[in-house]
Amino acid sequence: IDLSADLFGQTLTSPLLNASGVHCQTKEELNDLANTSNLGAMVTKSATLQAREGNPNPRYYDLENGSINSMGLPNLGYDFYLDYVLQEQTKPTILSVAALSAADAITLLKDLQASDYQGPTELNLSCPNIVGEPQLAYDFEATDRVLSEVFSFYTKPLGVKLPPYFDLVHFDKIAAVLNKYPLTHVNTINSIGNGLWVDVDQEQVVTKAKGGFGGLGGTMVLPTALANVRALRQRLNDSIKVLGTGGVTSGADIFAHILCGADLVSVGTQVMKEGLGTYDRLAEELKAIMAEKGYQSLADFRGKLKEL
Ligand SMILES: C=Cc1c(C(=O)O)[nH]c(=O)[nH]c1=O
């Protein structure tokens, strides 16, 4: 059974990645990921031009069927993560970047273009927890404008992290924008934005910022994640890879993501619950399913979801 996958020309021994934001903010956490077996590649916490504290605690809360977070984009700053990918990385790494404004995104990517970094970068267009800031990728015209300006100067590998969409026309619209640009990949989905959890005993919310509203992850978002992977795979140019993120707790969930068209699959909330050993368990479960079905490689079933 062969779990190997391709990350923009680099062969990975496993199609699994961490979801950006989970265990990837500090040098210690990034080194842990580099030493995690069955994690084929890794993604950094989205970096902003300046380091950020993020929102006040509590800002992450574990739920029976997933998680809710309003982290507020805490990160050590773009310079730290650029240094990491240039000097420290030992495992294929995607540099995730975010911006509080389109202008900041342009500034950051112009610096990256001028840097020695030649590896893959992922522009996060979907952070739901910056107070007062919209999730950019829900504004199709604004997304088009930002990507148009970025690709007027950026020539290195670049993908985007998308929020979940819930309307087939929105899949059409975002795909029409993305297909205009030489993107390496889309990573879908980011958390389902602005959910709310109520602690009935305490009669109160469970996270502090934004009155308790926060991004949802974990098993509860799997159907939305699968729909977004499938819809975007059906609509995007073949040259644009699809990284599936959202709702993975088992090997079967990874199989489903790949069946829907995912080239690689990220796992976040489950790692927060179970630790980095999750990747070994998931790889074994995926191999068992493939053996049972007689599949030798991921290409044997990728994108081959059957309709009725
Ligand atoms: C980059 C900020 C994000 C955050 C955050 O730092 O609050 N949480 C998410 O679920 N997704 C994000 O994209």
Side-chain angles (χ1 to χ4, degrees), residues 21-293:
V22 171
H23 210 99
C24 58
Q25 193 172 320
T26 65
K27 182 172 286 190
E28 292 70 30
E29 290 177 336
L30 292 166
N31 289 338
D32 286 345
L33 293 181
N35 296 322
T36 295
S37 55
N38 284 300
L39 184 72
M42 50 194 271
V43 188
T44 65
K45 170 67 184 174
S46 296
T48 43
L49 272 178
Q50 309 302 329
R52 289 171 52 87
E53 282 289 308
N55 290 332
N57 285 315
R59 59 192 191 182
Y60 183 93
Y61 190 84
D62 185 61
L63 300 172
E64 178 71 26
N65 56 356
S67 64
I68 185 168
N69 90 83
S70 58
M71 306 302 287
L73 195 40
N75 73 96
L76 297 178
Y78 160 69
D79 292 338
F80 168 82
Y81 298 100
L82 177 59
D83 180 68
Y84 179 85
V85 292
L86 283 175
Q87 311 295 341
E88 308 280 334
Q89 77 167 283
T90 57
K91 175 175 283 184
T93 303
I94 298 175
L95 173 65
S96 176
V97 296
L100 306 185
S101 67
D104 275 5
I106 299 306
T107 303
L108 190 155
L109 288 168
K110 278 188 172 163
D111 186 279
L112 199 52
Q113 175 66 25
S115 80
D116 292 336
Y117 181 58
Q118 306 301 335
T121 297
E122 187 172 285
L123 177 58
N124 186 344
L125 298 176
S126 47
C127 181
N129 296 321
I130 306 298
V131 177
E133 291 295 325
Q135 290 174 266
L136 188 70
Y138 282 147
D139 180 336
F140 304 112
E141 288 73 27
T143 300
D144 197 355
R145 278 195 304 276
V146 168
L147 292 180
S148 174
E149 182 161 359
V150 165
F151 283 106
S152 72
F153 64 85
Y154 201 78
T155 62
K156 300 176 178 178
L158 184 68
V160 291
K161 180 74 172 281
L162 298 174
Y165 299 96
F166 302 93
D167 180 323
L168 296 187
V169 169
H170 292 172
F171 292 135
D172 297 336
K173 286 178 179 286
I174 191 61
V177 169
L178 298 176
N179 278 331
K180 293 167 62 178
Y181 301 102
L183 292 160
T184 52
H185 72 286
V186 302
N187 186 333
T188 179
I189 64 175
N190 205 318
S191 55
I192 295 180
N194 297 301
L196 181 66
W197 186 254
V198 173
D199 178 336
V200 171
D201 294 344
Q202 307 283 325
E203 303 178 15
Q204 69 187 5
V205 301
V206 296
T207 49
K208 188 170 179 68
K210 300 169 53 178
F213 285 72
L216 304 176
T219 195
M220 74 173 98
V221 309
L222 181 62
T224 294
L226 294 176
N228 278 260
V229 167
R230 172 75 163 169
L232 285 165
R233 184 63 286 162
Q234 290 175 319
R235 290 166 173 78
L236 291 174
N237 298 335
D238 292 349
S239 57
I240 303 177
K241 297 233 174 209
V242 174
L243 272 55
T245 300
V248 173
T249 64
S250 70
D253 299 339
I254 299 168
F255 187 89
H257 263 273
I258 297 171
L259 203 57
C260 289
D263 291 283
L264 304 174
V265 180
S266 330
V267 187
T269 295
Q270 190 58 27
V271 174
M272 294 293 287
K273 291 172 181 284
E274 188 181 333
L276 292 172
T278 305
Y279 294 105
D280 286 333
R281 174 177 66 82
L282 293 174
E284 289 315 305
E285 290 180 3
L286 178 59
K287 280 192 271 191
I289 291 168
M290 289 171 67
E292 172 69 26
K293 290 168 171 289

